[in-house]
Structures are given as structure tokens and as C-alpha cells.
Amino acid sequence: MIALAVILGVLWFLTAAYLVIVLRQIRAVRRQLERQRGEGAHSSVTLSLVVPQLESLAAQVNETVRQAQAASTRTRVEERRIRSFIADISHDLRTPLTTVRGYLQLLERSTLDEEQRAQLAVAQRQTAELGTLVDRLYEYAYLLDAEPALDLEPVDVGVLIAECLLGMTAEIEGAGMEVDYDPPAALVVETDREKLTRIVQNLVRNAVQHGRELLRVQVQVLGAGDGLEIRVRNGVPPGTEIDAERLFERFYTADRSRSGRTSGLGLSIVQVLAEHLGGSVAAAQDREAGTVEIGVSIPRPTSG
């Protein structure tokens, strides 16, 4: 009886020791996976002791990691290929587009009747829109490949936005729209003036293109703590359902507010520029008010 008790005790001790070893190995695997996730790394999971079942699990985990790494590599290669293609095609389109514009200008100087001049005006308008698309394609591809080098300087954000709106007066009035903007007083941040200007221009242009339902664009600037936020709100057609999470995707035209002659690249460019400045973008639809608001948050490291 005593011998049996001793044997059971030994078996219990061995089982407990085995379970302790297994639990330690599981914790070790978990820590390795957490570390890899935090560092964004892809490396094999290792075990310090031999446990057959855990070895099999580790092999499966390592194979999954290897496949994920291979898929990530393929994605990066494909993304580079797409960016290169966009840059090349936009560059190749510029020469024939310039030629077309030249011939249209020559045609404008010739003797044309009223109907012919109306048709010429349509061709010139379509050519201008194509030129804008080509320029945005090239800009988007360039921004994705470019290093986010920043030329920081103190910028009065209220004044900069007012200047952008003034420079776009013809475009805004041509769309029959008005802008509500109350510039903040002495909101000075250290940032890249050129990148911030392009962000504002693209935000306003997007709102003008898609805000005709209310004929009004609202621009708001907020500065608090260590950040800066620019909000631009415009109207949308009644009943429009917008996938706000996809508004910043390139070429997204899944709803009526992003369809027609627009390329869907303006907000994608805004997102890339905001990320260059260390910021972020967001979008929200207010269905009751019939509006969409685009927000750009940019860090403010220093103020003056």
C-alpha cells in the first residue's frame, strides 16, 4: 500500500512538473509572438525544451509566419509596381495632352460659328479636367515614393487658409458656392507650409466638387494642446450613403458624391501629406444634416 502511494506520488510529481514545463513553453511562445507583433518583425518561434506537441504547434506557427512574411513582401512589391505604373502613365500622358491643348488653342483662333465654339468649349473643358487628373496621378505617385522631408517654419494657420481660399475664389464662385470661415487669431504652428497648403487646397477643392447640394462649404480650424485640426464640411445629395472609412482610398467612387468627373485622388493625397506631417485624417457623415465632414489632425510640436 505504501509502495502504491509512493508510485502515485511520483507520478503526480512528474505530471505536475510536465505541466509546469508545458505552461512555461506556452508563455515563452506567447511572449515571442507579442514581441514580434510589437516590433512588426517576422521570425521563427523557438522552444528551449523538447515537448512534441508544442514542437508541432511551433512548426505550424512558424509556417504561418513565413507565409505572412511572403505575402507582405509580395504586397510591397506589387504596391511599388503600381506606384511606378501610375507615375509612368501620368508622365507619358503629359506630352500628347500638351499637343491637344496646343491644337485647341489654334482652333480657337480660327473662324468658327457659334455651335462650333460651343463644341470647342466642351473639348477645352474636358481637356482641362484630364490635365488635372494627370497632375493628381503624378503627384500621388510622387508623394508615395518621396521621403517625407519637412521644411519646418512658423506658419499662421488662419492666414494660410485665408490665402488658400482667396486663391481659389474663381473656382469656388464658378461652382456657385460660398465659404463660411472664421479665421482663428494668431494660431501659429511650426510645420511645412507647402504641404499644409496642398492639404487645404485639396480639402476645399473636394468640398466644392461634392458640396453643391448646400452651395456652402464650412471651414473650421481648431488648435488645442499639442495639436491642430482642420475641418471642412460640405453637403451631399439626399439619401446618399457614404462609406466614410473608404473616402481616402484612391479612386474610390462608390457613391454619387465621389462619381462623375472626379478621380477620387484628392483625399488620398490629403492623407499622404497628413501622414508626412505626422498627422491623421478622418471622415464622418451626418445623415440628418445631409453633410460630410473631413478632418485633418496635425501635431503641433511648438507654437509661437
Side-chain angles (χ1 to χ4, degrees), residues 17-67:
Y18 180 79
L19 289 175
V20 169
I21 293 173
V22 169
L23 290 175
R24 287 180 177 177
Q25 295 283 50
I26 291 175
R27 285 196 294 269
V29 171
R30 186 195 64 197
R31 286 194 296 269
Q32 292 179 59
L33 292 175
E34 289 176 347
R35 184 172 62 254
Q36 290 184 31
R37 183 179 60 185
E39 298 174 354
H42 299 284
S43 58
S44 298
V45 172
T46 59
L47 298 174
S48 57
L49 296 175
V50 177
V51 179
Q53 292 81 359
L54 287 182
E55 281 189 326
S56 177
L57 174 62
Q60 293 295 325
V61 170
N62 289 334
E63 177 61 20
T64 302
V65 169
R66 186 195 65 79
Q67 292 178 3

Side-chain angles (χ1 to χ4, degrees), residues 150 152 188-191 225-228 277 298-304:
L150 302 179
L152 299 179
V188 179
V189 300
E190 186 172 326
T191 188
D226 60 351
L228 165 72
L277 295 175
I298 299 172
R300 183 172 63 171
T302 58
S303 60

Side-chain angles (χ1 to χ4, degrees), residues 155-165 181-189 193 196 200 219-222 228 230:
V155 176
D156 190 318
V157 180
V159 173
L160 181 143
I161 293 179
E163 292 174 348
C164 289
L165 293 173
Y181 175 56
D182 184 14
L187 178 56
V188 179
V189 300
R193 178 183 295 274
L196 185 58
V200 174
V219 180
Q220 185 180 20
V221 185
L222 304 172
L228 165 72
I230 302 173

Side-chain angles (χ1 to χ4, degrees), residues 236-278:
V236 295
T240 299
E241 290 294 330
I242 295 177
D243 188 347
E245 294 182 357
R246 296 189 61 200
L247 276 178
F248 299 96
E249 291 182 11
R250 61 191 179 202
F251 310 122
Y252 172 62
T253 55
D255 56 80
R256 287 181 295 168
S257 73
R258 296 292 301 275
S259 61
R261 295 187 179 92
T262 61
S263 64
L265 280 173
L267 294 182
S268 298
I269 292 172
V270 168
Q271 182 177 36
V272 174
L273 289 169
E275 290 173 350
H276 282 190
L277 295 175

